[in-house]
Amino acid sequence: MKNKTTLMLGGVFLVLVALYFATSFRPKEVTQGAVPVFKNGLPNIDKLEVLNPKADNVTLEKQAEVWNITQPVNYKADPQMIQQAMDALRNTLVDEIVSSSPERQGYFGVADSTALNVKVYSGGKLELDALIGRFTPDLSHTYVRLRGSNDIAIWRGVMSRAFNLNLDNWRDRNIFSFNGEDITSIKAVSRFTTRELSLSDTTWVYTENGREMPINQTKGRQIVAMIASLTCDSFGSDEDIPRAGSTAPDTRVSFTVRNGDTHAFDLWTPRSDEDKGRYLVRKENGDMLFRFYEFRGSNLPLNYEKLKPDA
């Protein structure tokens, strides 16, 4: 019995020795680890082209230190979206190559015809031409191929969050940029009614056709703050233009800031089911139509139901 046990242990030992030599002389994998998209640091980026097979192609350019959309429209870009894009380019790391087979480009979503193409420029020089494909099942990486290469790499992060945006996502939605403390009065004039909020010392006073009515001060300050830094929900579309083009605005809203300047916008309120609860806004002497939905838009004409004290 003892001899049999000894033979078994010897056999196990020989197997382990064989495994050791088999694995020890196998060539080791050579990896460089994850590296930044821009190995030498983010260049001074002044132009982005985002070519989207499923949405508008958008060109953004830095002009006099301000980012603007230059194609397909001319409009100021949303600073937060620009910052998001720059952070993605600065912080994203490139992991290993998963395939170099052209036949796999369609599977990973990095084919020329289907990928989101992001081009990055600095001083007129093309610094990056990336074809962004699918994200991984764990939602933490993206398959990316550089133009002119068959190598499909994994980039850490979901790049589509920063770049797969439609035109309205890239546009700056801000209409006015004041602090609530800058506003001294707001007036909303419609056909039969003039509503006004005016600051008296530290208290907001509401009048309707000259008659003073009590309000909840917190609600009043919230509406003042909203109008001071007015930001639309979206932009007017072709279906909104006829309403603003063929009918007079329902209300003219104006507000005065501490230096005495007055700013104004026209407001169209929804009148039928076809208007889908949308409030339309256009700045005085402006040509851009902005859209607000019921929750926020109903505050704009100084609706007393939104201001009155709680029961």
Side-chain angles (χ1 to χ4, degrees), residues 234-271:
S234 64
F235 293 85
S237 64
D238 289 343
E239 61 181 324
D240 296 316
I241 292 174
R243 178 153 62 110
S246 61
T247 62
D250 299 298
T251 307
R252 163 63 65 92
V253 180
S254 60
F255 61 91
T256 303
V257 295
R258 291 190 182 277
N259 67 1
D261 290 345
T262 297
H263 306 270
F265 60 89
D266 291 325
L267 176 68
W268 286 262
T269 57
R271 296 180 178 179

Side-chain angles (χ1 to χ4, degrees), residues 138-183:
D138 63 0
L139 305 180
S140 62
H141 295 75
T142 303
Y143 299 109
V144 179
R145 179 173 66 90
L146 299 183
R147 177 83 69 180
S149 172
N150 287 326
D151 292 341
I152 303 169
I154 291 181
W155 288 18
R156 295 185 186 179
V158 180
M159 297 298 291
S160 58
R161 291 174 182 165
F163 294 100
N164 191 11
L165 308 173
N166 61 38
L167 175 61
D168 281 357
N169 291 139
W170 285 112
R171 287 204 271 192
D172 186 1
R173 299 188 180 202
N174 192 258
I175 302 172
F176 296 109
S177 299
F178 298 95
N179 294 318
E181 293 78 10
D182 295 330
I183 307 297

Side-chain angles (χ1 to χ4, degrees), residues 113-249:
S113 60
T114 58
L116 178 70
N117 187 195
V118 175
K119 297 183 179 183
V120 178
Y121 297 84
S122 177
K125 178 184 177 183
L126 180 62
E127 298 283 354
L128 180 73
D129 192 350
L131 295 158
I132 298 173
R134 295 169 43 199
F135 46 80
T136 56
D138 63 0
L139 305 180
S140 62
H141 295 75
T142 303
Y143 299 109
V144 179
R145 179 173 66 90
L146 299 183
R147 177 83 69 180
S149 172
N150 287 326
D151 292 341
I152 303 169
I154 291 181
W155 288 18
R156 295 185 186 179
V158 180
M159 297 298 291
S160 58
R161 291 174 182 165
F163 294 100
N164 191 11
L165 308 173
N166 61 38
L167 175 61
D168 281 357
N169 291 139
W170 285 112
R171 287 204 271 192
D172 186 1
R173 299 188 180 202
N174 192 258
I175 302 172
F176 296 109
S177 299
F178 298 95
N179 294 318
E181 293 78 10
D182 295 330
I183 307 297
T184 59
S185 66
I186 302 174
K187 181 184 290 186
V189 180
S190 55
R191 186 177 179 184
F192 298 112
T193 309
T194 297
R195 305 176 183 89
E196 188 167 5
L197 267 176
S198 58
L199 188 61
S200 176
D201 195 11
T202 59
T203 302
W204 284 97
V205 178
Y206 176 85
T207 60
E208 191 166 305
N209 290 338
R211 181 168 64 93
E212 186 174 328
M213 301 166 68
I215 65 166
N216 181 302
Q217 289 294 309
T218 299
K219 294 177 181 178
R221 285 191 291 270
Q222 289 173 345
I223 290 179
V224 170
M226 175 186 171
I227 291 177
S229 57
L230 193 59
T231 303
C232 69
D233 292 323
S234 64
F235 293 85
S237 64
D238 289 343
E239 61 181 324
D240 296 316
I241 292 174
R243 178 153 62 110
S246 61
T247 62

